[in-house]
Amino acid sequence: MQDSVFLDNRTFQRVWQRVAGSMDAPVTTPPEADTLTDLLAECIRAKAAGAAFYTALSQRIRTGRQQLLGIAAQERAHQKELQVEYFLRTGERCVPPAACPRLGTAAQDLRCVYTQELKLAERLGAAANTAPSPLHQTLAAMAQQDRCHAQAVRNLLACLLS
């Protein structure tokens, strides 16, 4: 029998104890919420939405189009890195829902993405302080790059408004 449920020994033991009617089955408590894992999932969704937003925005703004496309590519790369970290922690894939950005005026969109980059950089920086070593470096580097994205967006906004 090649059913994947039975490949996990703990799952097999729990199912077998229920089927056999064993009263000695250990009481299992649901696992506590892992805030770092939850944050990784949240950041994966934010990076996917950010990549879609930057791509859509690049099609509306001529000045800085290449820069916006470059940031979108970096956001996708961050998303993939976070998905790897998520998989290493949980053994499960975290696939974000499809993102469909709602766009306003170019200035409003740049302002919105500027504040979102700063907020995400802050959350990633805080998470880096509590994360184990390999993940710590990844999150700290992403936080720094998000600060750079915010500065690039700020510069684009300055050009657009002048």
Side-chain angles (χ1 to χ4, degrees), residues 20 43 53-54 61-62 83-84 87 90 115 124 127 144 148:
C43 289
F53 193 81
Y54 280 116
I61 299 177
R62 293 182 197 267
Q83 286 174 311
V84 168
F87 183 80
T90 66
T115 58
L124 287 168
Q144 180 58 36
C148 291

Side-chain angles (χ1 to χ4, degrees), residues 2-155:
Q2 289 291 345
D3 192 348
S4 63
V5 172
F6 293 110
L7 296 179
D8 180 10
N9 191 34
R10 289 177 298 177
T11 303
F12 176 78
Q13 291 300 327
R14 280 196 320 264
V15 171
W16 180 250
Q17 287 173 347
R18 282 196 316 250
V19 169
S22 172
M23 301 311 275
D24 300 332
V27 177
T28 59
T29 58
E32 292 183 29
D34 180 2
T35 56
L36 186 56
T37 303
D38 293 342
L39 177 69
L40 286 174
E42 178 186 326
C43 289
I44 289 167
R45 289 188 296 273
K47 293 294 183 178
F53 193 81
Y54 280 116
T55 301
L57 193 57
S58 73
Q59 296 177 9
R60 296 183 47 227
I61 299 177
R62 293 182 197 267
T63 305
R65 175 174 291 167
Q66 291 305 316
Q67 192 172 15
L68 291 171
L69 287 173
I71 293 173
Q74 290 173 346
E75 293 290 305
R76 282 189 294 279
H78 286 176
Q79 175 191 340
K80 288 178 183 177
E81 285 181 66
L82 290 170
Q83 286 174 311
V84 168
E85 294 294 341
Y86 186 91
F87 183 80
L88 289 172
R89 287 184 67 80
T90 66
E92 297 176 3
R93 292 186 64 196
C94 180
V95 179
C100 182
R102 285 189 355 185
L103 300 174
T105 67
Q108 290 171 333
D109 291 342
L110 288 171
R111 179 181 180 273
C112 178
V113 78
Y114 171 78
T115 58
Q116 288 177 348
E117 287 286 0
L118 289 177
K119 286 178 186 176
L120 189 56
E122 186 177 313
R123 289 189 52 90
L124 287 168
N129 294 333
T130 63
S133 184
L135 182 56
H136 169 78
Q137 287 94 2
T138 300
L139 295 177
M142 282 185 194
Q144 180 58 36
Q145 196 160 33
D146 282 350
R147 286 186 207 89
C148 291
H149 291 170
Q151 187 59 46
V153 168
R154 183 184 181 107
N155 294 340

